[in-house]
Amino acid sequence: MLQRVDFNPAKKLLTRAELDAYDPQSESWQKQFARRYTHHSELDGVLNHIENVNETVYKKFAIAITPYMAQLMDRDDPNCPIRLQYLPTFHEETKAGFATMLDQLGEEGDTIPGTSIVHRYPRRVLFLVSNTCATLCRFCTRKRMVSQPSGSVHKDEIEASIDYIANNKNIDDVLLSGGDPLTFTDERLDEILGQIRTRAPHVRFLRIGSRMVVQMPTRVTPELCAVLEKHCVQMVNIHINHPKEITPLLRQRIKLLQKAGIMMGLQTVCLKGVNDNVEVMRELFMQSIEMGVRPYYVYSTDMVEGAHHFIVPHRRMLELYEGLRGWISGPAVPTFIVDGMGGLGKLPIIPSYVREEALPDGSGTTVKCRNYAGKTVEMPGLGQDFHLPSRTL
């Protein structure tokens, strides 16, 4: 089915009354996309206490906020966890006392020339298809390309990327990301996914990473789900950082994806002032698992320029992890990770619950165990390497 496009110009909702009266389900997702706020001054009539940042902030990273996300923001509280994620601040103009960079993950070094494929791991690739998002996170890990004209992914790069996947039979896992793949029309997604499935039958796992599902749930339509089901997209990973982002509309649209047979995963970034709180994380992950979305990763904030004020110390991340394991449902506990600078890859952050120590007499080792409540037990047998005697017949 062709996607309906509304060509009438979209008016931005510049007063609180207009925003409060707005129903995101009343129009096409393209028209809502066109209503995005692209300067902090446009929010003056919608939110109170808007910080008047210097225009130099926009030279490094643009602003874009959908009306739906603006509705979730507290009207008066500048420390609202949704506002903090999307509104620019003077912190972005300051310099951290440690190294930050635009390509802190070293993705450019692992990008195949002429393509938009980042090939870091042996059997899986990251396929960057777009540099556009519905709403721009201030801590975005790909500021080097997202919202930047020079970061556009051209059609010939996408074609070359599909060629690369098709010609490398060892690739069995492809992740479409960006920017956000769902900023494409259904027809364009149908074309790209179809090319992968037709020309690269060796790809066993095809997945999409999208923040747009959360930032504009109305992007998830029966037509989109039909495209994803047609090409057997096995997983969609969404990105939620706070329980306030989980709304009835989001739950409703996630059900559409699940009815199409798509696994749902959750990725979260640990952000100071937003979710570096045990109770907030417990609620986020339990609500997530409740709607059938499996918590997957909690990332440390990347060392990207202009995002240092979000960074949560490693020791605090360990505390947050310990505040989850044993206290909430096991399937709701994600893996906490650091994405190593310079292309080191994803590295798990795991507290020590089980520790092997040498026995005082030097005869071997023992294993000391600690549970979530602090109770301990020693298990010497786990420190031994038993060799069973041969049976004599």
Side-chain angles (χ1 to χ4, degrees), residues 97-169:
F98 45 83
T100 60
M101 56 194 76
L102 283 178
D103 185 24
Q104 78 290 351
L105 300 183
E107 289 184 340
E108 292 182 352
D110 287 326
T111 299
I112 305 302
T115 77
S116 59
I117 293 286
V118 180
H119 197 166
R120 173 166 296 158
Y121 298 98
R123 303 188 65 87
R124 64 184 189 264
V125 297
L126 171 65
F127 185 3
L128 302 177
V129 296
S130 169
N131 76 324
T132 305
C133 290
T135 300
L136 299 179
C137 306
R138 306 315 299 173
F139 49 89
C140 177
T141 192
R142 296 197 180 102
K143 287 185 179 181
R144 72 182 192 280
M145 62 175 286
V146 172
S147 87
Q148 305 296 331
S150 61
S152 297
V153 182
H154 301 289
K155 186 177 181 181
D156 58 348
E157 290 177 312
I158 290 179
E159 291 173 353
S161 297
I162 297 172
D163 287 342
Y164 180 82
I165 295 169
N167 293 329
N168 284 268
K169 310 299 184 187

Side-chain angles (χ1 to χ4, degrees), residues 74-371:
D74 189 283
R75 184 174 185 176
D76 298 306
D77 183 8
N79 293 315
C80 162
I82 311 299
R83 286 174 65 151
L84 290 176
Q85 293 182 63
Y86 298 116
L87 295 183
T89 172
F90 78 96
H91 292 299
E92 296 178 34
E93 300 177 77
T94 63
K95 292 288 184 183
F98 45 83
T100 60
M101 56 194 76
L102 283 178
D103 185 24
Q104 78 290 351
L105 300 183
E107 289 184 340
E108 292 182 352
D110 287 326
T111 299
I112 305 302
T115 77
S116 59
I117 293 286
V118 180
H119 197 166
R120 173 166 296 158
Y121 298 98
R123 303 188 65 87
R124 64 184 189 264
V125 297
L126 171 65
F127 185 3
L128 302 177
V129 296
S130 169
N131 76 324
T132 305
C133 290
T135 300
L136 299 179
C137 306
R138 306 315 299 173
F139 49 89
C140 177
T141 192
R142 296 197 180 102
K143 287 185 179 181
R144 72 182 192 280
M145 62 175 286
V146 172
S147 87
Q148 305 296 331
S150 61
S152 297
V153 182
H154 301 289
K155 186 177 181 181
D156 58 348
E157 290 177 312
I158 290 179
E159 291 173 353
S161 297
I162 297 172
D163 287 342
Y164 180 82
I165 295 169
N167 293 329
N168 284 268
K169 310 299 184 187
N170 65 315
I171 297 172
D172 55 21
D173 180 356
V174 175
L175 168 62
L176 270 65
S177 187
D180 200 308
L182 298 191
T183 56
F184 284 158
T185 63
D186 295 345
E187 291 79 15
R188 182 62 174 139
L189 278 172
D190 186 29
E191 181 182 353
I192 292 172
L193 295 171
Q195 284 288 313
I196 294 173
R197 282 308 192 195
T198 302
R199 300 184 54 208
H202 51 275
V203 173
R204 303 171 68 181
F205 192 36
L206 184 56
R207 51 191 171 133
I208 291 175
S210 175
R211 180 80 152 129
M212 193 171 180
V213 174
V214 176
Q215 297 168 342
M216 190 191 295
T218 50
R219 175 62 187 98
V220 179
T221 62
E223 292 78 15
L224 171 65
C225 293
V227 169
L228 301 183
E229 186 175 16
K230 172 184 175 182
H231 300 296
C232 193
V233 173
Q234 288 106 327
M235 188 173 197
V236 172
N237 273 326
I238 61 176
H239 176 175
I240 308 176
N241 295 323
H242 195 276
K244 281 189 71 173
E245 294 171 275
I246 300 177
T247 66
L249 178 58
L250 177 64
R251 290 175 181 269
Q252 176 194 103
R253 297 307 169 108
I254 281 176
K255 283 183 180 178
L256 293 181
L257 290 166
Q258 292 166 332
K259 287 178 180 177
I262 297 168
M263 290 186 289
M264 299 295 299
L266 170 67
Q267 299 192 155
T268 298
V269 179
C270 193
L271 302 166
K272 184 178 288 187
V274 174
N275 57 16
D276 57 334
N277 177 284
V278 168
E279 293 302 325
V280 168
M281 283 202 168
R282 287 178 182 175
E283 185 62 22
L284 169 59
F285 299 136
M286 284 307 295
Q287 283 199 36
S288 176
I289 204 77
E290 182 183 20
M291 62 180 177
V293 179
R294 176 71 187 268
Y296 179 39
Y297 280 149
V298 173
Y299 290 87
S300 63
T301 303
D302 290 324
M303 303 293 170
V304 66
E305 286 186 16
H308 56 275
H309 54 292
F310 286 114
I311 293 174
V312 176
H314 173 258
R315 60 184 176 276
R316 180 57 182 159
M317 291 190 71
L318 287 173
E319 292 170 355
L320 293 169
Y321 183 96
E322 295 217 27
L324 300 179
R325 179 162 293 282
W327 297 99
I328 61 174
S329 174
V333 180
T335 300
F336 282 58
I337 66 164
V338 170
D339 215 342
M341 289 179 70
L344 201 59
K346 297 177 178 63
L347 314 167
I349 299 173
I350 304 173
S352 178
Y353 290 99
V354 180
R355 190 173 69 254
E356 188 168 3
E357 295 181 358
L359 290 168
D361 61 6
S363 62
T365 62
T366 185
V367 171
K368 294 182 178 179
C369 305
R370 171 180 64 87
N371 77 349

